[in-house]
Amino acid sequence: MEDKTQSVSIRNLIIFAGAYCAFTIGSGYATGQEILQFFCAFGPSGLIGCLVSMILFAFLGGALMQKGYDLKLKYQTQVFRYYCGTYIGIFLEWITVIFLFGVVSIMIAGTGAMTSEYYGLSKEVGSIGMTVLCVISILLGLMRLADIIGSIGPVIIIFSILVGILTMFSASGTWAQNWQILYELRATGSWWFSRYDILDSAWFSGILYASCMIFGGIPFLTGLGSKANSRKEAFWGGFLGGVAIILAAGILVAAMLYFPEEIVALEVPNLFLVQQFAPVLAVVFSIILLLGIYSTAAPMFWVVINKLEQWIPNKAVKISVTLVLGIIAYFGAGLGFGRLIGFLYPLMGQVGVFMILVIIIKVYFMDDKEMTLEREERK
């Protein structure tokens, strides 16, 4: 008899890994701004930070999806109660929902800024368009959403890898020369860890990046894992997605280090990289960027709706709530792209470090003991 706990579908692996990538990739990643600040700011040592982040993204992504397969929660934000207990778990549920809703506004604001810069349209056109896309995606349901963003995620990752590799092949300068100028990002930046010398290091920046991104993705990855055919499929879907996310980031870091003086003051360093070898691809890049923003905003919006759904009596009310929250997110974007990022990301990075420790202890040190006790109780 086939062991269903070990069955793996290659198609599902691609979808799950792609969905993980797409959820993590937003305007900050797709533009290269997150990569610049979290990794390139440390020069060549930033690759160490990438390695640390890759390990965390891969193993925690796999563990969260595998646990989602085991638990099969109806409301995915309740996974915090499993990891942290009832009271702290409920508190973290709402912290996560508020954070993700804020990130949705950030993505909407980023869309407005991007459409204004690249297409000459008003910011309102881009912001309204992204809001409408998010609302429609939520009303399609999680599996349709997973299929959609699962196809976008690999495209963004492959595009990022190609941009990095082709940039390095076409670069005429020397790698990692004058990269000390990148330290200005930390010296003048608002990142909370820059105030503490002991934490101002590439390896800790890798931890901070992973903790911030994974913390917001805990409910989504848990829900995604519940749709897997087996524990093995769930784990490897998350693991491969985590590797792909940071593999692309590491290649982009290596490419950026050919042009440290140019990228240090840029808002969209990835666009600069594209222009080094194929300026005509700038339009393609802008489309990829929009897809990256959408693939982050839509699933995060879904997590917010999923949390509220336990109090929603019917589909008509759900539609109304989704529309109202979409409108609120749109107007929230008016607070400013930079201001929202400056407040939310550092705060969630600190909370995320705590959650990473809890997940590692719970999944890799306590689960085996709990399963052993359950087996003994059955006897």
Side-chain angles (χ1 to χ4, degrees):
M1 182 179 294
E2 180 184 1
D3 184 358
K4 294 184 178 181
T5 64
Q6 299 298 316
S7 62
V8 175
S9 163
I10 300 300
R11 177 181 178 274
N12 285 348
L13 284 183
I14 294 173
I15 289 176
F16 293 145
Y20 184 8
C21 293
F23 184 89
T24 304
I25 295 170
S27 58
Y29 185 104
T31 60
Q33 191 58 223
E34 288 175 3
I35 296 168
L36 175 62
Q37 293 197 30
F38 280 93
F39 302 119
C40 266
F42 295 92
S45 297
L47 294 174
I48 297 175
C50 287
L51 178 61
V52 172
S53 258
M54 180 183 289
I55 293 171
L56 291 173
F57 266 97
F59 282 98
L60 290 175
L64 287 166
M65 285 188 62
Q66 191 173 67
K67 186 51 61 178
Y69 174 84
D70 293 336
L71 297 176
K72 290 183 170 57
L73 299 172
K74 182 178 181 180
Y75 304 109
Q76 305 308 329
T77 55
Q78 291 181 348
V79 70
F80 289 109
R81 303 183 195 184
Y82 167 79
Y83 288 114
C84 303
T86 302
Y87 299 109
I88 296 178
I90 291 174
F91 173 74
L92 289 175
E93 284 180 43
W94 287 106
I95 288 293
T96 304
V97 169
I98 294 170
F99 168 61
L100 293 183
F101 190 67
V103 174
V104 172
S105 287
I106 289 174
M107 295 299 118
I108 291 172
T111 305
M114 198 280 290
T115 53
S116 175
E117 181 176 346
Y118 294 143
Y119 299 110
L121 302 172
S122 68
K123 293 183 178 180
E124 286 73 19
V125 171
S127 296
I128 291 173
M130 184 56 64
T131 303
V132 171
L133 281 175
C134 288
V135 170
I136 291 175
S137 296
I138 297 311
L139 299 179
L140 289 177
L142 176 60
M143 285 313 294
R144 285 291 302 278
L145 177 61
D147 286 339
I148 293 170
I149 67 171
S151 63
I152 292 173
V155 171
I156 300 170
I157 292 296
I158 292 171
F159 186 88
S160 298
I161 290 173
L162 288 176
V163 167
I165 292 174
L166 293 175
T167 298
M168 288 187 281
F169 274 121
S170 63
S172 57
T174 305
W175 188 73
Q177 294 293 309
N178 301 320
W179 53 264
Q180 289 84 353
I181 192 172
L182 295 169
Y183 284 153
E184 294 179 10
L185 286 174
R186 307 205 311 285
T188 61
S190 61
W191 302 99
W192 67 275
F193 65 85
S194 66
R195 303 169 194 161
Y196 306 97
D197 291 338
I198 192 172
L199 301 181
D200 187 15
S201 61
W203 66 268
F204 189 79
S205 188
I207 293 175
L208 180 71
Y209 184 67
S211 65
C212 181
M213 299 303 159
I214 292 174
F215 175 72
I218 289 174
F220 180 75
L221 291 172
T222 302
L224 202 60
S226 68
K227 307 302 179 182
N229 292 322
S230 66
R231 298 184 83 246
K232 187 176 180 180
E233 184 177 272
F235 177 83
W236 285 108
F239 185 92
L240 294 174
V243 170
I245 292 165
I246 305 301
L247 175 63
I251 292 174
L252 287 172
V253 168
M256 288 181 190
L257 287 176
Y258 276 96
F259 310 97
E261 295 179 337
E262 291 84 355
I263 66 170
V264 69
L266 295 177
E267 290 293 327
V268 190
N270 281 353
L271 178 60
F272 173 82
L273 296 182
V274 174
Q275 292 170 334
Q276 300 312 300
F277 65 88
V280 295
L281 287 181
V283 175
V284 177
F285 169 78
S286 68
I287 296 173
I288 295 293
L289 175 56
L290 283 172
L291 293 176
I293 295 173
Y294 161 73
S295 66
T296 297
M300 287 186 174
F301 196 27
W302 173 84
V303 172
V304 175
I305 298 299
N306 179 259
K307 172 60 182 174
L308 300 177
E309 202 167 9
Q310 55 191 301
W311 295 291
I312 297 176
N314 53 57
K315 186 174 182 179
V317 175
K318 178 180 178 179
I319 293 173
S320 300
V321 170
T322 303
L323 291 173
V324 170
L325 289 179
I327 293 171
I328 294 174
Y330 167 76
F331 284 106
L335 294 175
F337 190 59
R339 184 183 299 177
L340 286 167
I341 290 177
F343 172 74
L344 286 174
Y345 281 15
L347 176 62
M348 289 303 104
Q350 296 176 64
V351 177
V353 170
F354 163 75
M355 276 305 303
I356 279 183
L357 293 174
V358 171
I359 292 171
I360 290 174
I361 292 171
K362 182 73 172 178
V363 171
Y364 291 106
F365 294 96
M366 295 181 65
D367 271 7
D368 287 342
K369 294 180 180 179
E370 291 176 357
M371 292 174 68
T372 300
L373 288 174
E374 288 178 3
R375 284 194 295 267
E376 291 178 352
E377 288 176 359
R378 292 194 196 105
K379 294 178 181 179

